[in-house]
Structures are given as structure tokens and as C-alpha cells.
């Protein structure tokens, strides 16, 4: 005879028990993820403890425990610095140009490559545009400096051929920002294109067939099928770039800087190098780093909120 068990005697597994079972069930995936977890823990999270020196007058010989606390004095020094507004302006303008042109270029190029029907030609183009991604910024700067050289560069050779005086591009402030953004686009556009091409490959081909039956041309198919299908990928990559809006990269700018173009080319990353490493102002530059991180967090949270409300796509 079957006996029913009272409801109050049924023991449900705890959350910890369910989590442990889930981890054990997918243990292979967690083992694969361990190197990445260790990387972020060692090189990202543990160094966060060192940000306390932003609230100290840090002395390398006294260490964190022996250096005096000064509260928000380093942040006040940052905002009172006469060149702070100029450096912030340069950082914002260069990042905005990079977001406007550098972010959209891979999308446009991926859409164009998607229309190439010959597989061999498509693969050759992909390989050619992807190769610069493996070059260091030192090599990139050498290539562009050589091309733009006022004496032997191919650009100035063409300019002189038309009867104009050569232009020293790296010595004029008006050219440094387009040069920084343009070199980055040339180096990384292939990497972004591959990501979007992978997303394009996942679009259901029956959607195009149905649209073609309905009489839609290639442009209408791109506008109504391809771009909406790419929107989740575009949104995620856009939000990731917004989070690093003030973190443009030190070596990308430093290799092109000189005393003649520093007024328009210096950003937070290069200034941190000069003030922090060369002048030993560790607490001051740590405060600048915290400022960059807070601004990036605010931009990321705000952009994620707007994206979730308008498109339904977000990071979290």
C-alpha cells in the first residue's frame, strides 16, 4: 500500500547544493574557464587594492601602510591642474572620432564583404585587411611616419608633383588627431569585420529568400534583414567600447607624439606616463585612473540602460 509523504517532511535541495550539482555537471566548462578566471583575479582584481594610494601621499620607500593619508587632496590637485581641461578635451575628441569612424568602419566593411559572391576573393580581402592587427604600434607608427615623411614620403611626393609645398603632418596640431584615429582604423578594422561577418553567417538564409520572393532588392534586404539581425552584436560591442571611452590606449598615441603636436594629441594615458612614471607622482596619477574608471562606469551603465529601453539589447 502506497503511503504519501507529508509536505512538511519533503526536503528540497538548498541553493548551495543545486549550485554544486550544476558546477559538477558542467565541470569541463569550468575547468576550461579557470585560466581566464585566474587572469582576471590576479591582474585585474588584486591590483584594485592598490588604488588606495590615490587617497595618500604615497612614498615608494614607506609603502602603502607607511604613507600619510591626504583624503581627496589628489583629486583636488587633478581638477585644479591648469592643463586638465585641455587633456580632457583631447581625450574626449579623439575617443569621439574613434567611436564615430573606427566603430562604424568594420560594420560597413562587413556589409560590403557580405555582398562578395566569390569565396576566394572574399577570403583574400579578409586576410589582407586582418593582417595589420598583428603589428605592434611601433611598427604602425614607423609605416605612417615613412608614408607621411616631408622629404621621402609617398604622400608628400604626390603633393609636390601637383606643385604644392610638402606638409609636415606630424608637426602640425591639426593632423595629429586624424592620424591617430586613422592609423587605428587601418590596424583594427579587419578584426572588427571578422566579428560582424561571423554574426552575418548566422542569419537565416530563408529570410533573404522570402524577401526576394516579395520583390525586395539587395538594399531593402540589407536594411530590413541584415542590419536588424546585426543589431544585438553591434549593441554589445558598442557598450563595451563606451565603457572604455576615456581609456584610449597609451602606446597608440605615444608613438605619434612630439613637442610640436602634443598640445592637441596628449591624452590621459600619455599624461599619466609622464606624471606618474617619469615624475614619480604615483598617488596623483592613480587618482586620474580612478576618475577615468568612474566616468567609464557611468557611461556604461547609462548606455546599457538606454539600450535596454530602446532596443531591448543590453549587457545585463
Amino acid at each position: 500500500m502506497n503511503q504519501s509523504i507529508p509536505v512538511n517532511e519533503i526536503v528540497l535541495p538548498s541553493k548551495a547544493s543545486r549550485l554544486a550539482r550544476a558546477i559538477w555537471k558542467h565541470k569541463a566548462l569550468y575547468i576550461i574557464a579557470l585560466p581566464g578566471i585566474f587572469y582576471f583575479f590576479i591582474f585585474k582584481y588584486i591590483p584594485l587594492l592598490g588604488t588606495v594610494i590615490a587617497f595618500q601621499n604615497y612614498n615608494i620607500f614607506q609603502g602603502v601602510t607607511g604613507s600619510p593619508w591626504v583624503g581627496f587632496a589628489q583629486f583636488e590637485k587633478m581638477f585644479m591642474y591648469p592643463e586638465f581641461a585641455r587633456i580632457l578635451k583631447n581625450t574626449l575628441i579623439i575617443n569621439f572620432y574613434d567611436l564615430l569612424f573606427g566603430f562604424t568602419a568594420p560594420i560597413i566593411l562587413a556589409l560590403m564583404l557580405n555582398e562578395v559572391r566569390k569565396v576566394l576573393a572574399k577570403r583574400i580581402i579578409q586576410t589582407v585587411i586582418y593582417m595589420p592587427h598583428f603589428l605592434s604600434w611601433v611598427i604602425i607608427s614607423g609605416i605612417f611616419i615613412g608614408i607621411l615623411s616631408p622629404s621621402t614620403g609617398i604622400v608628400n611626393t604626390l603633393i609636390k608633383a601637383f606643385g604644392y609645398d610638402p606638409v609636415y603632418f606630424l608637426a602640425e596640431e591639426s593632423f595629429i588627431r586624424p592620424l591617430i584615429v586613422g592609423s587605428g582604423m587601418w590596424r583594427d578594422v579587419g578584426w572588427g569585420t571578422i566579428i560582424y561577418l561571423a554574426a552575418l553567417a548566422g542569419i537565416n538564409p530563408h529570410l533573404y529568400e522570402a524577401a526576394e520572393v516579395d520583390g525586395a532588392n539587395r538594399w531593402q534586404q540589407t536594411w530590413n534583414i541584415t542590419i536588424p539581425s546585426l543589431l544585438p552584436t553591434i549593441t554589445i560591442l558598442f557598450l563595451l567600447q563606451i565603457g572604455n571611452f576615456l581609456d584610449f590606449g597609451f602606446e597608440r598615441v605615444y608613438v605619434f607624439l612630439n613637442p610640436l603636436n602634443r598640445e592637441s594629441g596628449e591624452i590621459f594615458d600619455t599624461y599619466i606616463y609622464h606624471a606618474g612614471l617619469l615624475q614619480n607622482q604615483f598617488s596623483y596619477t592613480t587618482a586620474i585612473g580612478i576618475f577615468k574608471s568612474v566616468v567609464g562606469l557611468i557611461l556604461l551603465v547609462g548606455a546599457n540602460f538606454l539600450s535596454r529601453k530602446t532596443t531591448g539589447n543590453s549587457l545585463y
Side-chain angles (χ1 to χ4, degrees), residues 28 56 59 67 80 118 126 158 188 208 248 273 290 315:
Q56 296 179 317
N59 186 296
S67 299
M80 294 300 293
K118 293 185 178 181
Q126 284 183 256
L158 293 175
D188 295 325
Y208 294 104
F248 190 72
Y273 168 74
I290 292 178
L315 286 175

Side-chain angles (χ1 to χ4, degrees), residues 53 56-70 282-283:
I53 68 174
Q56 296 179 317
N57 188 11
Y58 179 73
N59 186 296
I60 192 172
F61 299 105
Q62 295 176 337
V64 176
T65 56
S67 299
W69 295 87
V70 295
F282 302 111
S283 295

Side-chain angles (χ1 to χ4, degrees), residues 136-149 170 255-256:
S136 69
W137 280 109
V138 176
I139 298 175
I140 297 292
S141 66
I143 293 172
F144 274 83
I145 290 172
I147 292 174
L148 301 175
S149 171
L170 289 174
V255 291
F256 291 108

Side-chain angles (χ1 to χ4, degrees), residues 208-220:
Y208 294 104
E209 295 174 2
E212 191 172 354
V213 170
D214 291 338
N217 56 34
R218 296 302 301 175
W219 170 250
Q220 291 172 328

Side-chain angles (χ1 to χ4, degrees), residues 275-307:
L277 295 180
L278 301 184
Q279 300 176 15
N280 299 325
Q281 300 184 61
F282 302 111
S283 295
Y284 173 53
T285 50
T286 302
I288 297 176
I290 292 178
F291 169 76
K292 289 171 50 184
S293 300
V294 171
V295 172
L297 177 62
I298 294 172
L299 290 174
L300 177 60
V301 173
N304 189 78
F305 174 79
L306 292 176
S307 177

Side-chain angles (χ1 to χ4, degrees), residues 147 149-166:
I147 292 174
S149 171
S151 57
T152 60
I154 185 173
V155 174
N156 275 298
T157 300
L158 293 175
I159 291 175
K160 288 185 288 186
F162 285 98
Y164 296 97
D165 295 329

